[in-house]
Each structure stands twice: as structure tokens, then as C-alpha cells.
Coordinates of all heavy atoms in Angstrom, one line a residue:
M1 N -67.2 61.1 -4.2 CA -66.8 62.0 -3.1 C -65.3 61.9 -2.8 O -64.7 62.9 -2.7 CB -67.6 61.6 -1.8 CG -67.2 62.2 -0.6 SD -67.9 63.8 -0.4 CE -67.5 64.0 1.3
I2 N -64.8 60.7 -2.8 CA -63.4 60.5 -2.5 C -62.5 61.2 -3.6 O -61.5 61.7 -3.4 CB -63.0 59.0 -2.3 CG1 -61.6 58.9 -1.7 CG2 -63.1 58.2 -3.5 CD1 -61.4 59.4 -0.3
F3 N -63.1 61.1 -4.9 CA -62.4 61.7 -6.0 C -62.2 63.2 -5.8 O -61.2 63.8 -6.1 CB -63.2 61.4 -7.3 CG -62.6 62.2 -8.5 CD1 -61.5 61.8 -9.1 CD2 -63.3 63.3 -8.9 CE1 -61.0 62.6 -10.2 CE2 -62.8 64.1 -10.0 CZ -61.6 63.7 -10.6
L4 N -63.3 63.8 -5.3 CA -63.2 65.3 -5.1 C -62.2 65.6 -4.0 O -61.4 66.6 -4.2 CB -64.6 65.8 -4.7 CG -64.7 67.3 -4.4 CD1 -64.2 68.1 -5.6 CD2 -66.1 67.7 -4.0
W5 N -62.1 64.9 -2.9 CA -61.1 65.1 -1.9 C -59.7 64.9 -2.4 O -58.8 65.7 -2.1 CB -61.4 64.1 -0.7 CG -62.5 64.6 0.2 CD1 -63.7 64.1 0.3 CD2 -62.4 65.7 1.2 NE1 -64.4 64.8 1.2 CE2 -63.7 65.8 1.8 CE3 -61.4 66.6 1.5 CZ2 -64.0 66.7 2.8 CZ3 -61.7 67.5 2.5 CH2 -63.0 67.5 3.1
I6 N -59.5 63.9 -3.2 CA -58.2 63.7 -3.8 C -57.8 64.8 -4.8 O -56.7 65.3 -4.7 CB -58.1 62.3 -4.5 CG1 -58.2 61.2 -3.5 CG2 -56.9 62.2 -5.4 CD1 -58.4 59.8 -4.1
Y7 N -58.8 65.2 -5.6 CA -58.6 66.3 -6.5 C -58.2 67.6 -5.8 O -57.2 68.3 -6.1 CB -59.8 66.5 -7.3 CG -59.8 67.8 -8.1 CD1 -59.1 67.9 -9.3 CD2 -60.5 69.0 -7.6 CE1 -59.1 69.1 -10.0 CE2 -60.5 70.1 -8.4 CZ -59.8 70.2 -9.5 OH -59.8 71.4 -10.3
L8 N -58.9 67.9 -4.7 CA -58.6 69.1 -3.9 C -57.3 69.0 -3.2 O -56.5 70.0 -3.2 CB -59.7 69.4 -3.0 CG -61.1 69.9 -3.6 CD1 -62.2 70.0 -2.5 CD2 -60.9 71.2 -4.4
L9 N -57.0 67.9 -2.7 CA -55.7 67.7 -2.1 C -54.5 67.9 -3.0 O -53.5 68.5 -2.7 CB -55.6 66.3 -1.4 CG -54.3 65.9 -0.7 CD1 -54.1 66.8 0.5 CD2 -54.3 64.5 -0.3
L10 N -54.7 67.3 -4.2 CA -53.6 67.5 -5.3 C -53.5 68.9 -5.7 O -52.4 69.4 -5.8 CB -53.9 66.6 -6.5 CG -53.7 65.1 -6.2 CD1 -54.2 64.3 -7.5 CD2 -52.3 64.8 -5.9
C11 N -54.6 69.6 -6.0 CA -54.5 71.0 -6.4 C -53.9 71.9 -5.3 O -53.0 72.7 -5.6 CB -55.9 71.6 -6.7 SG -56.6 71.1 -8.2
N12 N -54.3 71.7 -4.1 CA -53.7 72.5 -3.0 C -52.3 72.2 -2.8 O -51.4 73.1 -2.5 CB -54.6 72.3 -1.7 CG -55.8 73.1 -1.8 OD1 -55.8 74.3 -1.6 ND2 -56.9 72.4 -2.1
S13 N -51.9 70.9 -2.8 CA -50.5 70.6 -2.6 C -49.6 71.1 -3.7 O -48.5 71.6 -3.4 CB -50.4 69.0 -2.5 OG -51.1 68.5 -1.5
L14 N -50.1 71.0 -4.9 CA -49.3 71.5 -6.1 C -49.1 73.0 -6.0 O -48.0 73.5 -6.2 CB -50.0 71.1 -7.4 CG -49.3 71.5 -8.7 CD1 -47.9 71.0 -8.8 CD2 -50.1 71.1 -9.9
L15 N -50.2 73.7 -5.7 CA -50.0 75.2 -5.6 C -49.1 75.6 -4.5 O -48.3 76.5 -4.6 CB -51.4 75.8 -5.5 CG -51.4 77.4 -5.5 CD1 -50.6 77.9 -6.7 CD2 -52.8 77.9 -5.5
F16 N -49.2 74.9 -3.4 CA -48.4 75.2 -2.2 C -46.9 75.0 -2.6 O -46.1 75.9 -2.4 CB -48.7 74.3 -1.0 CG -48.0 74.5 0.2 CD1 -48.3 75.6 1.0 CD2 -46.9 73.7 0.5 CE1 -47.5 75.9 2.2 CE2 -46.2 73.9 1.7 CZ -46.5 75.0 2.5
V17 N -46.6 73.9 -3.3 CA -45.2 73.7 -3.7 C -44.8 74.7 -4.7 O -43.6 75.2 -4.7 CB -45.1 72.2 -4.2 CG1 -43.7 72.0 -4.9 CG2 -45.3 71.2 -3.1
L18 N -45.6 75.0 -5.7 CA -45.3 76.0 -6.7 C -45.0 77.4 -6.1 O -44.2 78.1 -6.6 CB -46.3 76.0 -7.8 CG -46.4 74.8 -8.7 CD1 -47.5 74.9 -9.7 CD2 -45.0 74.5 -9.4
M19 N -45.8 77.7 -5.1 CA -45.5 79.0 -4.4 C -44.1 79.0 -3.8 O -43.4 80.0 -3.9 CB -46.6 79.3 -3.4 CG -48.0 79.5 -3.9 SD -48.2 81.1 -4.8 CE -48.2 82.2 -3.5
R20 N -43.7 77.9 -3.2 CA -42.4 77.8 -2.6 C -41.3 77.9 -3.7 O -40.3 78.7 -3.6 CB -42.3 76.5 -1.9 CG -40.9 76.2 -1.4 CD -40.5 77.1 -0.3 NE -39.2 76.6 0.3 CZ -38.4 77.3 1.1 NH1 -38.8 78.5 1.4 NH2 -37.3 76.8 1.5
V21 N -41.5 77.2 -4.8 CA -40.5 77.2 -5.9 C -40.4 78.5 -6.5 O -39.3 79.0 -6.8 CB -40.9 76.1 -7.0 CG1 -40.1 76.3 -8.2 CG2 -40.8 74.7 -6.4
D22 N -41.6 79.2 -6.7 CA -41.6 80.5 -7.4 C -40.9 81.5 -6.4 O -40.1 82.4 -6.9 CB -43.0 81.0 -7.7 CG -43.0 82.2 -8.6 OD1 -42.4 82.1 -9.7 OD2 -43.6 83.2 -8.3
K23 N -41.1 81.4 -5.2 CA -40.4 82.3 -4.2 C -38.9 82.2 -4.3 O -38.2 83.1 -4.3 CB -40.9 82.1 -2.8 CG -40.2 82.9 -1.7 CD -40.5 84.4 -1.8 CE -39.8 85.1 -0.7 NZ -40.3 86.5 -0.6
Q24 N -38.5 80.9 -4.3 CA -37.0 80.6 -4.3 C -36.4 81.1 -5.6 O -35.3 81.7 -5.6 CB -36.8 79.1 -4.2 CG -37.1 78.6 -2.8 CD -36.3 79.3 -1.7 OE1 -35.1 79.5 -1.8 NE2 -37.0 79.8 -0.7
K25 N -37.1 81.0 -6.7 CA -36.6 81.5 -8.0 C -36.6 83.0 -8.0 O -35.7 83.6 -8.6 CB -37.5 80.9 -9.1 CG -37.4 79.4 -9.3 CD -37.5 78.9 -10.7 CE -37.3 77.4 -10.7 NZ -36.0 77.1 -11.3
A26 N -37.6 83.6 -7.4 CA -37.6 85.1 -7.3 C -36.4 85.6 -6.6 O -35.8 86.6 -7.0 CB -38.9 85.6 -6.7
I27 N -36.1 84.9 -5.5 CA -34.9 85.3 -4.7 C -33.6 85.2 -5.5 O -32.7 86.1 -5.4 CB -34.8 84.5 -3.4 CG1 -36.0 84.8 -2.5 CG2 -33.5 84.6 -2.7 CD1 -36.1 83.9 -1.3
K28 N -33.5 84.2 -6.3 CA -32.3 83.9 -7.1 C -32.3 84.6 -8.5 O -31.4 84.4 -9.3 CB -32.1 82.4 -7.3 CG -31.9 81.7 -6.0 CD -31.8 80.2 -6.2 CE -31.7 79.4 -4.9 NZ -31.6 78.0 -5.1
H29 N -33.4 85.4 -8.7 CA -33.5 86.0 -10.0 C -33.4 85.1 -11.2 O -32.8 85.3 -12.2 CB -32.5 87.1 -10.2 CG -32.5 88.1 -9.1 ND1 -33.5 89.1 -9.0 CD2 -31.7 88.3 -8.0 CE1 -33.2 89.8 -7.9 NE2 -32.2 89.4 -7.3
Q30 N -34.2 84.0 -11.1 CA -34.2 82.9 -12.1 C -35.6 83.0 -12.8 O -36.5 83.7 -12.4 CB -34.0 81.6 -11.5 CG -32.6 81.4 -10.9 CD -32.4 80.0 -10.3 OE1 -33.3 79.4 -9.9 NE2 -31.1 79.6 -10.1
W31 N -35.7 82.0 -13.8 CA -37.0 81.9 -14.5 C -38.1 81.6 -13.4 O -37.9 80.9 -12.5 CB -36.9 80.6 -15.4 CG -38.2 80.2 -15.9 CD1 -38.8 80.6 -17.0 CD2 -39.0 79.1 -15.3 NE1 -40.0 79.9 -17.1 CE2 -40.2 79.0 -16.1 CE3 -38.9 78.3 -14.2 CZ2 -41.2 78.1 -15.8 CZ3 -39.9 77.4 -13.9 CH2 -41.0 77.3 -14.8
R32 N -39.2 82.2 -13.7 CA -40.4 82.2 -12.7 C -41.5 81.4 -13.3 O -41.7 81.2 -14.5 CB -40.8 83.6 -12.4 CG -39.8 84.6 -11.9 CD -39.5 84.4 -10.5 NE -40.6 84.6 -9.6 CZ -41.1 85.7 -9.2 NH1 -40.6 86.9 -9.6 NH2 -42.2 85.8 -8.5
I33 N -42.3 80.9 -12.4 CA -43.6 80.3 -12.8 C -44.6 81.4 -13.2 O -44.7 82.3 -12.4 CB -44.1 79.4 -11.6 CG1 -43.1 78.3 -11.3 CG2 -45.5 78.9 -11.9 CD1 -43.4 77.6 -10.0
P34 N -45.2 81.2 -14.3 CA -46.1 82.3 -14.8 C -47.3 82.5 -13.8 O -47.8 81.6 -13.2 CB -46.7 81.7 -16.1 CG -45.7 80.8 -16.6 CD -45.1 80.2 -15.3
E35 N -47.6 83.8 -13.6 CA -48.7 84.1 -12.6 C -50.0 83.5 -13.0 O -50.8 83.1 -12.2 CB -48.8 85.6 -12.5 CG -47.7 86.3 -11.7 CD -48.0 87.8 -11.5 OE1 -49.0 88.3 -12.0 OE2 -47.2 88.4 -10.7
K36 N -50.2 83.4 -14.3 CA -51.5 82.7 -14.8 C -51.6 81.3 -14.3 O -52.7 80.8 -14.0 CB -51.5 82.7 -16.4 CG -51.7 84.1 -17.0 CD -51.8 84.0 -18.5 CE -51.9 85.3 -19.1 NZ -51.9 85.3 -20.5
T37 N -50.5 80.6 -14.2 CA -50.5 79.2 -13.8 C -50.9 79.2 -12.3 O -51.7 78.4 -11.9 CB -49.1 78.6 -13.9 OG1 -48.7 78.6 -15.3 CG2 -49.1 77.1 -13.4
L38 N -50.3 80.0 -11.5 CA -50.6 80.1 -10.1 C -52.0 80.5 -9.8 O -52.7 79.9 -9.0 CB -49.6 81.0 -9.3 CG -48.1 80.7 -9.4 CD1 -47.3 81.8 -8.8 CD2 -47.8 79.4 -8.8
L39 N -52.5 81.5 -10.5 CA -53.9 81.9 -10.4 C -54.9 80.9 -10.8 O -55.9 80.6 -10.2 CB -54.1 83.2 -11.2 CG -53.4 84.5 -10.6 CD1 -53.4 85.6 -11.6 CD2 -54.0 84.9 -9.3
F40 N -54.6 80.2 -11.9 CA -55.5 79.1 -12.4 C -55.6 78.0 -11.4 O -56.7 77.6 -11.1 CB -55.0 78.6 -13.8 CG -55.8 77.5 -14.3 CD1 -57.1 77.8 -14.8 CD2 -55.3 76.2 -14.4 CE1 -57.9 76.8 -15.3 CE2 -56.1 75.2 -14.9 CZ -57.4 75.5 -15.4
L41 N -54.5 77.6 -10.9 CA -54.5 76.5 -9.9 C -55.3 76.9 -8.6 O -56.0 76.1 -8.0 CB -53.1 76.1 -9.5 CG -52.4 75.1 -10.4 CD1 -51.0 74.9 -10.0 CD2 -53.1 73.7 -10.4
G42 N -55.1 78.2 -8.2 CA -55.9 78.7 -7.1 C -57.4 78.7 -7.4 O -58.2 78.4 -6.5
L43 N -57.8 79.0 -8.6 CA -59.2 79.2 -8.9 C -59.9 77.8 -9.1 O -61.0 77.7 -8.7 CB -59.3 80.0 -10.2 CG -60.7 80.4 -10.6 CD1 -61.3 81.3 -9.6 CD2 -60.7 81.1 -12.0
I44 N -59.2 76.8 -9.5 CA -59.8 75.5 -9.7 C -59.8 74.6 -8.5 O -60.0 73.4 -8.6 CB -59.2 74.8 -11.0 CG1 -57.7 74.4 -10.7 CG2 -59.4 75.6 -12.2 CD1 -57.2 73.5 -11.7
G45 N -59.5 75.2 -7.4 CA -59.6 74.4 -6.1 C -58.4 74.5 -5.2 O -58.4 73.9 -4.1
G46 N -57.3 75.1 -5.6 CA -56.1 75.1 -4.8 C -56.0 76.4 -4.0 O -54.9 76.7 -3.5
G47 N -57.1 77.0 -3.7 CA -57.0 78.3 -2.9 C -56.4 78.2 -1.6 O -55.6 79.1 -1.2
I48 N -56.7 77.1 -0.8 CA -56.1 77.0 0.5 C -54.6 76.8 0.4 O -53.9 77.4 1.2 CB -56.8 75.8 1.3 CG1 -58.2 76.1 1.5 CG2 -56.1 75.5 2.6 CD1 -59.1 75.0 2.0
G49 N -54.1 76.0 -0.5 CA -52.7 75.8 -0.7 C -52.0 77.1 -1.1 O -50.9 77.4 -0.7
G50 N -52.7 77.9 -1.9 CA -52.2 79.2 -2.3 C -52.1 80.2 -1.1 O -51.1 80.9 -1.0
I51 N -53.2 80.2 -0.3 CA -53.2 81.1 0.8 C -52.1 80.7 1.8 O -51.4 81.6 2.3 CB -54.6 81.1 1.5 CG1 -55.6 81.8 0.6 CG2 -54.5 81.8 2.8 CD1 -57.0 81.6 1.0
L52 N -52.0 79.4 2.1 CA -50.9 79.0 3.0 C -49.5 79.3 2.4 O -48.6 79.7 3.2 CB -51.0 77.5 3.2 CG -52.2 77.0 4.1 CD1 -52.3 75.5 4.1 CD2 -52.1 77.6 5.5
G53 N -49.3 79.1 1.1 CA -48.1 79.4 0.5 C -47.8 80.9 0.6 O -46.6 81.3 0.8
M54 N -48.8 81.8 0.3 CA -48.6 83.2 0.4 C -48.1 83.6 1.8 O -47.1 84.4 2.0 CB -49.9 84.0 0.2 CG -50.3 84.1 -1.3 SD -51.9 84.9 -1.5 CE -51.4 86.6 -1.1
R55 N -48.7 83.1 2.8 CA -48.4 83.4 4.2 C -47.1 82.8 4.7 O -46.3 83.5 5.3 CB -49.6 83.1 5.1 CG -50.8 83.9 4.9 CD -51.9 83.6 5.8 NE -53.0 84.4 5.4 CZ -53.7 85.2 6.3 NH1 -53.3 85.3 7.5 NH2 -54.7 85.9 5.8
L56 N -46.9 81.5 4.4 CA -45.8 80.9 4.9 C -44.5 81.3 4.3 O -43.4 81.5 4.9 CB -45.9 79.3 4.7 CG -45.1 78.4 5.6 CD1 -45.5 78.6 7.1 CD2 -45.3 77.0 5.2
F57 N -44.5 81.5 3.0 CA -43.3 81.9 2.2 C -43.3 83.4 2.0 O -42.3 83.9 1.3 CB -43.3 81.2 0.9 CG -43.5 79.7 1.0 CD1 -44.4 79.0 0.3 CD2 -42.7 79.0 1.9 CE1 -44.6 77.6 0.4 CE2 -42.9 77.6 2.1 CZ -43.8 76.9 1.3
R58 N -44.3 84.2 2.4 CA -44.3 85.6 2.2 C -44.1 86.0 0.7 O -43.2 86.7 0.3 CB -43.3 86.3 3.1 CG -43.6 86.2 4.5 CD -42.6 87.0 5.4 NE -42.9 86.8 6.8 CZ -42.0 86.7 7.7 NH1 -40.8 86.8 7.4 NH2 -42.4 86.6 9.0
H59 N -45.0 85.3 -0.1 CA -44.9 85.5 -1.5 C -46.2 85.9 -2.1 O -47.2 85.4 -1.8 CB -44.4 84.1 -2.1 CG -44.1 84.2 -3.5 ND1 -43.2 85.1 -4.1 CD2 -44.4 83.4 -4.6 CE1 -43.1 84.9 -5.4 NE2 -43.8 83.8 -5.7
K60 N -46.1 87.0 -2.9 CA -47.3 87.5 -3.6 C -48.3 88.1 -2.6 O -49.5 88.2 -3.0 CB -48.0 86.5 -4.5 CG -47.1 85.8 -5.5 CD -46.8 86.6 -6.7 CE -46.1 85.9 -7.8 NZ -45.6 86.7 -8.8
T61 N -47.9 88.5 -1.5 CA -48.8 89.0 -0.4 C -49.4 90.3 -0.7 O -50.4 90.7 -0.1 CB -48.1 89.0 0.9 OG1 -46.9 89.8 0.8 CG2 -47.7 87.6 1.4
T62 N -48.8 91.1 -1.6 CA -49.3 92.5 -1.8 C -50.2 92.5 -3.1 O -50.8 93.5 -3.4 CB -48.2 93.5 -2.0 OG1 -47.4 93.1 -3.1 CG2 -47.3 93.6 -0.8
K63 N -50.3 91.4 -3.8 CA -51.0 91.3 -5.0 C -52.5 91.0 -4.7 O -52.8 89.9 -4.3 CB -50.4 90.3 -6.0 CG -49.0 90.7 -6.4 CD -48.8 90.3 -7.8 CE -47.4 90.8 -8.2 NZ -47.4 91.0 -9.7
I64 N -53.4 92.0 -5.0 CA -54.8 91.8 -4.7 C -55.4 90.7 -5.6 O -56.2 89.9 -5.1 CB -55.5 93.1 -5.0 CG1 -55.0 94.2 -4.1 CG2 -57.0 92.9 -4.8 CD1 -55.2 94.0 -2.6
S65 N -54.9 90.5 -6.8 CA -55.4 89.5 -7.7 C -55.2 88.1 -7.1 O -56.1 87.2 -7.2 CB -54.8 89.6 -9.1 OG -53.4 89.4 -9.0
F66 N -54.1 87.9 -6.4 CA -53.8 86.6 -5.8 C -54.7 86.4 -4.6 O -55.3 85.3 -4.4 CB -52.3 86.5 -5.4 CG -51.5 86.1 -6.6 CD1 -51.0 87.0 -7.5 CD2 -51.1 84.8 -6.8 CE1 -50.2 86.7 -8.6 CE2 -50.3 84.4 -7.9 CZ -49.9 85.4 -8.8
K67 N -54.8 87.4 -3.8 CA -55.7 87.3 -2.6 C -57.1 87.0 -3.0 O -57.8 86.1 -2.4 CB -55.7 88.6 -1.8 CG -54.3 88.8 -1.1 CD -54.4 90.1 -0.3 CE -53.0 90.4 0.3 NZ -53.0 91.7 1.1
F68 N -57.6 87.7 -4.0 CA -59.0 87.5 -4.4 C -59.2 86.1 -5.0 O -60.2 85.4 -4.7 CB -59.4 88.6 -5.4 CG -60.8 88.4 -6.0 CD1 -61.9 88.8 -5.2 CD2 -60.9 87.9 -7.3 CE1 -63.2 88.6 -5.8 CE2 -62.2 87.7 -7.8 CZ -63.3 88.1 -7.0
T69 N -58.3 85.7 -5.9 CA -58.4 84.5 -6.7 C -58.3 83.3 -5.7 O -59.1 82.3 -5.8 CB -57.4 84.4 -7.8 OG1 -57.6 85.5 -8.7 CG2 -57.6 83.1 -8.6
F70 N -57.4 83.3 -4.8 CA -57.2 82.2 -3.8 C -58.4 82.1 -2.9 O -58.9 81.0 -2.6 CB -55.9 82.4 -3.0 CG -54.7 82.2 -3.9 CD1 -53.4 82.5 -3.4 CD2 -54.7 81.6 -5.2 CE1 -52.3 82.4 -4.1 CE2 -53.6 81.5 -5.9 CZ -52.3 81.8 -5.4
A71 N -59.0 83.3 -2.5 CA -60.2 83.3 -1.7 C -61.4 82.7 -2.4 O -62.1 81.9 -1.9 CB -60.5 84.7 -1.2
L72 N -61.5 83.1 -3.7 CA -62.6 82.6 -4.5 C -62.4 81.1 -4.8 O -63.4 80.3 -4.7 CB -62.6 83.4 -5.9 CG -63.7 83.0 -6.8 CD1 -65.1 83.2 -6.2 CD2 -63.5 83.8 -8.1
G73 N -61.2 80.7 -5.0 CA -60.9 79.2 -5.2 C -61.3 78.4 -4.0 O -61.8 77.3 -4.1
T74 N -61.0 79.0 -2.8 CA -61.3 78.3 -1.5 C -62.8 78.2 -1.4 O -63.4 77.2 -1.0 CB -60.7 79.1 -0.3 OG1 -59.3 79.1 -0.5 CG2 -61.1 78.4 1.0
L75 N -63.5 79.3 -1.7 CA -65.0 79.3 -1.6 C -65.6 78.3 -2.6 O -66.5 77.5 -2.2 CB -65.5 80.7 -1.9 CG -67.0 80.8 -2.0 CD1 -67.7 80.5 -0.6 CD2 -67.4 82.2 -2.4
L76 N -65.1 78.2 -3.8 CA -65.6 77.2 -4.8 C -65.3 75.8 -4.3 O -66.2 74.9 -4.5 CB -64.9 77.5 -6.1 CG -65.3 78.8 -6.9 CD1 -64.5 79.0 -8.1 CD2 -66.8 78.7 -7.2
A77 N -64.2 75.5 -3.7 CA -63.9 74.2 -3.2 C -64.9 73.8 -2.1 O -65.4 72.7 -2.1 CB -62.4 74.1 -2.7
V78 N -65.1 74.7 -1.2 CA -66.1 74.5 -0.1 C -67.5 74.2 -0.7 O -68.2 73.3 -0.3 CB -66.1 75.7 0.9 CG1 -67.3 75.5 1.8 CG2 -64.8 75.7 1.6
L79 N -67.9 75.0 -1.7 CA -69.2 74.9 -2.3 C -69.3 73.5 -3.0 O -70.3 72.8 -3.0 CB -69.5 76.0 -3.3 CG -69.7 77.4 -2.7 CD1 -69.9 78.4 -3.7 CD2 -71.0 77.3 -1.8
M80 N -68.2 73.1 -3.7 CA -68.2 71.8 -4.3 C -68.4 70.7 -3.3 O -69.1 69.7 -3.5 CB -66.9 71.5 -5.1 CG -66.7 72.2 -6.4 SD -65.3 71.7 -7.3 CE -64.0 72.7 -6.5
L81 N -67.7 70.8 -2.2 CA -67.8 69.8 -1.1 C -69.2 69.7 -0.5 O -69.8 68.7 -0.3 CB -66.8 70.0 0.0 CG -65.4 69.7 -0.4 CD1 -64.4 70.2 0.7 CD2 -65.2 68.2 -0.6
V82 N -69.8 70.9 -0.3 CA -71.2 71.0 0.2 C -72.2 70.4 -0.8 O -73.0 69.6 -0.5 CB -71.6 72.4 0.5 CG1 -73.1 72.6 0.7 CG2 -70.8 72.9 1.7
Y83 N -72.0 70.7 -2.1 CA -72.9 70.2 -3.1 C -72.8 68.6 -3.2 O -73.8 68.0 -3.4 CB -72.5 70.8 -4.5 CG -73.3 70.3 -5.6 CD1 -74.7 70.7 -5.8 CD2 -72.8 69.4 -6.5 CE1 -75.4 70.2 -6.8 CE2 -73.6 68.9 -7.6 CZ -74.9 69.3 -7.7 OH -75.7 68.8 -8.7
V84 N -71.6 68.1 -3.2 CA -71.4 66.7 -3.3 C -72.0 65.9 -2.1 O -72.5 64.8 -2.2 CB -69.9 66.3 -3.4 CG1 -69.6 64.8 -3.2 CG2 -69.4 66.8 -4.8
N85 N -72.0 66.6 -0.9 CA -72.5 65.9 0.3 C -74.0 66.0 0.4 O -74.6 65.5 1.4 CB -71.9 66.6 1.6 CG -70.5 66.0 1.8 OD1 -70.2 64.8 1.5 ND2 -69.6 66.9 2.2
H86 N -74.7 66.8 -0.4 CA -76.2 66.9 -0.4 C -76.8 66.1 -1.4 O -76.7 65.6 -2.3 CB -76.6 68.3 -0.5 CG -76.5 69.1 0.8 ND1 -75.3 69.6 1.3 CD2 -77.4 69.3 1.7 CE1 -75.5 70.1 2.4 NE2 -76.8 70.0 2.8

């Protein structure tokens, strides 16, 4: 159980930080983090970090694929937690 909490904390923290980094790089017209990387992290449990990053940094907010994937990743994380607790 604790492993799952640590895993989800790391995924969400990493995606949150990467959203910030990608936003800053977008502003400076520099190399960007691939969208596949951000979407993958959101899907494997980092959805909450992705949603917070989208809202706080106003980044990728118009992209439906990001909204859907981060919502799905959040749902999957909740389902994992429910499954582990039963």
C-alpha cells in the first residue's frame, strides 16, 4: 500500500514539475518536453499533477488530449487505491 502512495506521489510530482519546465521553455522558444512524455506520465498515475500543472501554469489548457488523459490517469489512480484497500 505504501509503495502505491509513493509511486503516485512521484508520478504526480514529476509531471507537475515537467509541466512547469515545459511552459518556461515554451515561453523562451527553447527545446520542449515531448507531449508523449507528458501524456504518458499523466496516464500512468500522474493525472492530478498534470491537472494542477495545467491550471497553475496555464499550460496545454486548450488541448483536449491532455484534459482527457489527465482525467483518465486520475481515475486510474483512484481505482488503484480503491483496489489495494479492498
Side-chain angles (χ1 to χ4, degrees):
M1 169 85 166
I2 191 72
F3 171 76
L4 181 58
W5 281 103
I6 292 169
Y7 168 78
L8 291 174
L9 179 66
L10 289 174
C11 280
N12 282 284
S13 299
L14 179 59
L15 184 52
F16 182 78
V17 169
L18 289 179
M19 292 291 284
R20 171 72 173 165
V21 169
D22 194 54
K23 175 67 176 192
Q24 292 302 310
K25 296 211 178 255
I27 291 169
K28 296 176 183 178
H29 303 287
Q30 295 177 341
W31 166 87
R32 304 280 302 279
I33 297 168
E35 286 188 353
K36 288 180 184 180
T37 302
L38 300 174
L39 290 169
F40 179 71
L41 278 170
L43 189 60
I44 64 168
I48 294 170
I51 291 168
L52 290 174
M54 283 177 74
R55 292 184 182 234
L56 203 63
F57 309 128
R58 295 185 180 143
H59 189 48
K60 305 282 187 190
T61 56
T62 61
K63 297 215 173 206
I64 301 299
S65 60
F66 279 83
K67 291 178 182 180
F68 176 77
T69 303
F70 292 166
L72 182 59
T74 300
L75 176 63
L76 291 174
V78 169
L79 291 174
M80 284 189 281
L81 289 169
V82 168
Y83 179 76
V84 168
N85 283 325
H86 277 83

